[in-house]
Amino acid sequence: MIQVVCIKQVADSETRVKIGADGKSLDPSGVTWILNPYDEFAVEQALRVKEKLGAGEVIAVSLGGAGVQATLRNVLAMGADRAIHLKTNSPADPLQAARALAAAIRDLGAQIVWFGRQAIDDDAAQVGPMTAELLQLPCVTSIASFELEGTTATVERDIEGGREVVEVTLPAALTTDKGLNEPRYASLKGIMAAKKKPIDERPLELGEAGLEVVSLALPAARSAGRIVGQGTAAVPELLRVLREEARVL
Amino acid sequence: MARFSGVDFYEIDSLLSEEERQIRDHVRGWVEDRYLPLVERAYEEAYFPAEVIPEIAEMGLLGATLPEKYGCAGVNALAYGLAMQELERGDSGLRSFASVQGSLAMYPIYAYGSEAQRMKWLPRMAKGELVGCFGLTEPDFGSNPAGMITRAERKVGGYVLNGAKMWITNGTIADLAIVWAKLRDEDTGRDDIHGFILEKGMKGFSAPEQKRKHSLRASVTSELILQDVVVPEENLLPDAVGLKGPLGCLSQARFGIAFGVVGSAMACFHAAAEYSKSRVQFGRPIGGFQLVQERLADMLTQITQAQLLCVQLGRLKERGTVRTEQISLAKRNNCEMALEVAREARDVLGANGITAEYPVMRHMCNLESVKTYEGTHNIHTLVLGEAITGIAAYR
């Protein structure tokens, strides 16, 4: 079975990001780049499916600048068989990304196209469903469990106050949520083997953008707290402040 | 405290291959996520958290430089060293486990064993199914291993071993022990040191744990007691005769230590630097005071020097030209460096430095052992002295 995993390289959540001089993009200097954590679940699940079937191919696909290859290499080290790098230095909006991915995936004959439920940088959660739509595949988002029986996958989704069980016939697109699995650590052998696995580099011309990021801003610095008094004597004043000034009561 | 992201003041990463960096970063990530949450309790309650064995085996960290044919990862020396650095950033006990398994138990089977012995033991040891240990040091023979009293006598179909070993990492949890013992050569009448594979459960072989340590508490240290232990012929390592057998293993292990302690030093430096930025006294972070800045500057300088030493040591080993005295220099220098960094870091942290809230005191106590084991600081001084003058002071 051929499976495709679409991955995104994102800034490590531990990185203190700075906004670039243009006021609408991140300053890439000093940023540590990682595989989007939600995508790790997608990679892991694809590898588990392949291991269980004992055969097949897992292809990782990503778009972005040259630096993306380090993250693709990590996915190859985890066990993916090959990678496709859609090379562009321009930022892509979700639909542009989905179109590029759909065009790259269409002829691969994938039975499952995996995505993380969202990227932790822009939190758009759009690329998975949009790519599925462009490929005319059924799509189940935010899956928290996965069972495969022949060409039918049974998946569970966490929904408000409960769990939804969905059956989907392959080929399908699935986006993965936390809790689906515990992603593996690449082994030393895997890292060595990854060096020899092919990354197919394809120049990418992005179509017209539908969205424009107008500006980025860091959250406002929190203002200092105020001590209204001490001990039980301060309670009436605290209640008054919460009610009248903060208006939270 | 901010997540640890390495110490690289001199763009040392640019001296490493992408693969070497990736291996280091993966091991770092594993230590951060899986090992650090376990270590403080293990240290306090004095046990080795054995649940990590399958995980480090799965990553390929046991016998990592040995060939793939034996189920090992076959990585180069520098990648291996960097992995040891990251393990020891967790705890010296964790790196010790990996060092002993790989360099002191798997390596002698690989280097001095028969092909049958390699195929029998190495794949299961790489998987972590079998744990090994290394018995050279004795209660009365530490720096002078040639004086050992443990002895093997020939008998039909094998040997009978008697003696005792001490300070044996992994001893009590080991399934096999590489034990070095004197055996009389029937032709020359001379005693030669040979290596034997002893298996858990052999009659007369026991490995009681040495308790009440103030150092390496998250690691198992044991005695090996040998009373008329019958060892079959097939458990003799055929290709090691004399002290160069065990010393060859120690060179492997010391190489890993030279890298490992840089990890301990980095952990302490990171803790001190972060603490100095958040701890406020006299109205400003203590990192704003000159005395603290000098300490941090010294730590960073020493770590950077040690890192560069390691990179070149790794390259020499890959080339196959490394000399034992070069390994001695790195082991000696880096252990002393790490110990100094740990002590300075403890001082920067003030009273907080002695608590289990920070890794500093744990590393500091561990490093006192690491300075002494696998060739004491003093013995490595004498190795260098001999290399410089041509005169051996200890023989």
Side-chain angles (χ1 to χ4, degrees), chain B residues 98-138:
Chain B
S99 278
V100 168
Q101 178 82 348
S103 298
L104 297 183
M106 294 173 75
Y107 177 81
I109 294 173
Y110 169 70
Y112 312 128
S114 64
E115 186 60 17
Q117 287 171 335
R118 292 179 197 150
M119 293 311 287
K120 178 178 179 185
W121 299 106
L122 296 180
R124 293 187 68 198
M125 294 176 80
K127 285 198 188 112
E129 292 169 7
L130 297 176
V131 172
C133 68
F134 176 89
L136 175 66
T137 298
E138 299 186 352

Side-chain angles (χ1 to χ4, degrees), chain A residues 204-220:
Chain A
L204 175 67
E205 283 299 323
L206 288 175
E208 202 175 322
L211 299 179
E212 188 195 347
V213 175
V214 179
S215 71
L216 280 181
L218 292 172

Side-chain angles (χ1 to χ4, degrees), chain B residues 40-61:
Chain B
E40 288 300 349
R41 181 166 166 224
Y43 195 89
E44 198 169 335
E45 296 176 15
Y47 63 89
F48 175 70
E51 63 265 38
V52 303
I53 298 174
E55 294 187 33
I56 55 178
E58 181 76 20
M59 280 194 291
L61 289 168

Side-chain angles (χ1 to χ4, degrees), chain A residues 12 14 32 69-70 73-74 77-78 182 185-189 191-196, chain B residues 3 18-19 22-23 26 29-30 33-34 58-61 64 68 71-75:
Chain A
D12 189 344
E14 293 283 329
T32 309
Q69 290 204 5
R73 212 46 94 183
N74 275 336
M78 285 174 76
E182 190 160 329
Y185 292 87
S187 70
L188 271 53
K189 231 185 257 183
I191 293 169
M192 307 270 291
K195 201 168 62 170
K196 299 178 197 110
Chain B
R3 196 180 166 99
E18 182 185 335
E19 188 184 27
Q22 268 189 329
I23 287 173
H26 272 91
W30 177 84
D33 298 341
R34 308 287 300 180
E58 181 76 20
M59 280 194 291
L61 289 168
E68 290 187 41
C72 302
V75 302

Side-chain angles (χ1 to χ4, degrees), chain B residues 271-289 292 348-352 358:
Chain B
E274 291 296 316
Y275 186 86
S276 77
K277 288 185 268 185
S278 63
R279 171 74 173 177
V280 175
Q281 289 291 287
F282 304 104
R284 68 161 101 168
I286 60 167
F289 291 104
V292 173
V348 169
L349 268 72
N352 283 311
Y358 299 89

Side-chain angles (χ1 to χ4, degrees), chain A residues 2 15 29 35 38 60 69 104 113 144 150 164 190 192:
Chain A
I2 293 171
T15 297
S29 62
L35 173 61
Y38 287 106
Q69 290 204 5
V113 182
E164 183 180 47
M192 307 270 291

Side-chain angles (χ1 to χ4, degrees), chain B residues 1 51 61 79 106 112 152 181 201 229 257 288 303 308 351 359 374:
Chain B
M1 195 157 78
E51 63 265 38
L61 289 168
M106 294 173 75
Y112 312 128
V229 183
I257 293 171
I303 290 170
L308 288 165
E374 313 250 346

